[in-house]
């Protein structure tokens, strides 16, 4: 097994990377060890995950600041009645009592993932457990694309940025995984802190452009608190130019925000481009045609099959 290098994250002749989003959300409960093992078992070599901190400072893998009512049950099997406890205010031991093994029948979120397995007794994992898995024999070629979840509009819901980054990095360094990591965030305060604390770990700039009826927070606009004082206009309105000038090595745009011009600019700036979250076959095809380096998807099996149909693979070869 050759040593991991950043250039392995680039598209090669004949291969494009597949990142399993929250493991394989379309098929398995998200951000769970069972989902991550499944993703590795089917041969995916890059896992995307979300990290938050508990009240006692443990990095845990879950997506929202509050436990999600549509995917969380109590020990008794009862669904959370409303918005769940804030992860930041909950000790790890208490968090471990919740079951995140399935989606609530009748919920909108459940309807979005009709093929996701329904399981019992799945726990919110500590980040440490995933790092231990990645260090097991046979997983030496696996990378983690770690999203540090932070929202500058609600700073009281996530930890102080320096402490948050320090705790996540500590786990990474404890496991000696710093050469197989991408650190990503929509909140560029986090990325700037990562640059201060671990300059050599590649940083991925998540971007979501303004659009009518945007279903989630737009982070790219002039004066955006997500951009930590950086002006797009000052970089010729080019996100790739901005990211490269800011020291980023990876750009991770919403897939419908990406066009050929920006992709060329990213390549000229030597950036790796990983698009999210690409689930439909036609969209996977479009991203292959555009020439991205990595496809982040809830359906890694579907992406595998599509790459094979196109004469491509997701696996690195010794020459690829
Ligand atoms: Mg994520």
């Amino acid at each position: 097994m050759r040593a991991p290098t950043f250039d392995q994250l680039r598209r090669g002749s004949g291969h494009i990377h597949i990142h399993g989003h929250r493991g394989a959300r379309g098929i398995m409960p998200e951000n769970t060890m069972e989902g991550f093992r499944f993703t590795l078992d089917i041969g995916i070599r890059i896992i995307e995950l979300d990290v938050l901190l508990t009240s006692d400072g443990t990095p845990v893998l879950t997506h929202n600041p509050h436990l999600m009512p549509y995917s969380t049950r109590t020990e008794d099997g009862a669904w959370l009645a409303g918005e769940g406890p804030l992860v930041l205010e909950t000790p790890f031991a208490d968090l471990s009592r919740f079951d995140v093994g399935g989606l609530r029948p009748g919920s909108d979120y459940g309807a979005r993932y009709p093929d996701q397995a329904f399981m019992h007794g799945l726990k919110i994992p500590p980040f440490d457990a995933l790092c231990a898995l990645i260090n097991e024999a046979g997983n030496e070629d696996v990378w983690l694309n770690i999203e540090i979840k932070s929202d500058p509009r609600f700073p009281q819901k996530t930890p102080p940025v320096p402490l948050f980054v320090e705790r996540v990095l500590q786990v990474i360094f404890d496991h000696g995984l710093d050469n197989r990591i991408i650190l990503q965030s929509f909140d560029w305060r986090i990325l700037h802190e990562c640059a201060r604390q671990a300059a050599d770990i590649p940083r991925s700039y998540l971007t979501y452009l303004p659009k009518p009826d945007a279903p989630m927070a737009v982070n790219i606009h002039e004066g955006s608190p997500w951009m930590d004082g950086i002006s797009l206009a000052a970089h010729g309105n080019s996100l790739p130019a901005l990211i490269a000038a800011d020291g980023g090595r990876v750009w991770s745009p919403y897939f419908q925000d990406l066009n050929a011009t920006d992709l060329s600019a990213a390549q000229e700036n030597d950036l790796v481009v990983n698009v999210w979250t690409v689930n439909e076959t036609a969209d996977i095809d479009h991203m292959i045609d555009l020439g991205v380096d990595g496809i982040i998807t809830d359906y890694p099996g579907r992406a595998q099959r599509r790459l094979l149909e196109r004469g491509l693979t997701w696996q690195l070869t010794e020459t690829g």
Side-chain angles (χ1 to χ4, degrees):
M1 187 68 61
R2 62 182 178 176
T5 66
F6 178 78
D7 282 334
Q8 287 174 2
L9 297 172
R10 299 186 193 283
R11 178 186 185 133
S13 62
H15 80 259
I16 298 176
H17 293 287
I18 299 173
H19 298 230
H21 186 237
R22 309 187 196 179
R25 175 170 60 169
I27 303 296
M28 289 288 287
E30 67 182 67
N31 283 314
T32 61
M33 291 306 292
E34 290 78 359
F36 296 133
R37 283 199 193 90
F38 169 86
T39 307
L40 296 174
D41 284 347
I42 66 170
I44 299 302
R45 304 334 268 168
I46 306 179
I47 287 178
E48 194 273 352
L49 59 120
D50 306 290
V51 65
L52 283 164
L53 279 195
T54 63
S55 64
D56 39 0
T58 302
V60 291
L61 307 184
T62 187
H63 187 272
N64 287 9
H66 292 270
L67 293 187
M68 300 179 276
Y70 42 78
S71 64
T72 312
R73 285 165 281 164
T74 65
E75 285 175 290
D76 306 329
W79 294 100
L80 292 186
E83 189 174 63
L86 193 63
V87 174
L88 184 62
E89 293 176 346
T90 310
F92 178 71
D94 290 352
L95 210 58
S96 303
R97 298 201 178 96
F98 291 99
D99 186 339
V100 292
L103 299 177
R104 184 173 188 159
S107 67
D108 290 345
Y109 195 75
R112 277 171 62 187
Y113 303 101
D115 298 328
Q116 192 188 96
F118 192 93
M119 304 169 75
H120 294 285
L122 274 56
K123 304 301 180 191
I124 294 172
F127 178 40
D128 181 77
L130 177 61
C131 289
L133 175 64
I134 298 311
N135 263 338
E136 286 180 8
N139 291 336
E140 297 87 348
D141 58 337
V142 174
W143 285 69
L144 297 179
N145 190 3
I146 299 165
E147 183 180 352
I148 301 180
K149 298 301 294 188
S150 176
D151 187 333
R153 302 168 305 167
F154 306 104
Q156 72 283 7
K157 292 199 173 190
T158 46
V161 168
L163 171 75
F164 196 177
V165 169
E166 180 189 322
R167 292 298 173 118
V168 172
L169 287 172
Q170 189 62 53
V171 177
I172 293 168
F173 285 117
D174 284 349
H175 287 270
L177 282 172
D178 51 302
N179 61 348
R180 295 194 270 149
I181 294 290
I182 304 167
L183 295 168
Q184 54 169 346
S185 192
F186 287 100
D187 183 353
W188 297 0
R189 299 176 310 154
I190 291 281
L191 298 179
H192 292 156
E193 186 61 29
C194 290
R196 282 188 278 274
Q197 295 194 27
D200 292 340
I201 299 182
R203 298 176 295 281
S204 176
Y205 287 62
L206 283 160
T207 64
Y208 188 57
L209 297 178
K211 49 187 66 63
D213 303 318
M216 54 171 276
V218 166
N219 74 327
I220 304 300
H221 57 86
E222 221 49 36
S224 165
W226 301 85
M227 296 171 71
D228 197 21
I230 299 183
S231 162
L232 189 56
H235 296 85
N237 288 312
S238 166
L239 276 171
L242 179 163
I243 292 164
D246 204 43
R249 302 179 75 188
V250 184
W251 177 28
S252 196
Y254 175 56
F255 76 96
Q256 290 186 354
D257 289 343
L258 184 63
N259 59 47
T261 305
D262 283 338
L263 187 68
S264 303
Q267 288 165 342
E268 284 161 22
N269 281 287
D270 218 23
L271 301 178
V272 163
V273 178
N274 301 323
V275 281
W276 56 274
T277 299
V278 193
N279 288 341
E280 300 305 324
T281 302
D283 296 326
I284 293 169
D285 272 337
H286 183 46
M287 293 300 112
I288 294 170
D289 293 338
L290 260 183
V292 301
D293 298 282
I295 293 171
I296 301 171
T297 179
D298 291 318
Y299 296 91
R302 188 181 294 170
Q304 287 176 309
R305 299 285 304 282
R306 199 60 210 152
L307 290 186
L308 291 174
E309 295 285 352
R310 301 281 304 261
L312 298 165
T313 181
W314 59 97
Q315 292 164 312
L316 275 177
T317 62
E318 286 303 311
T319 54

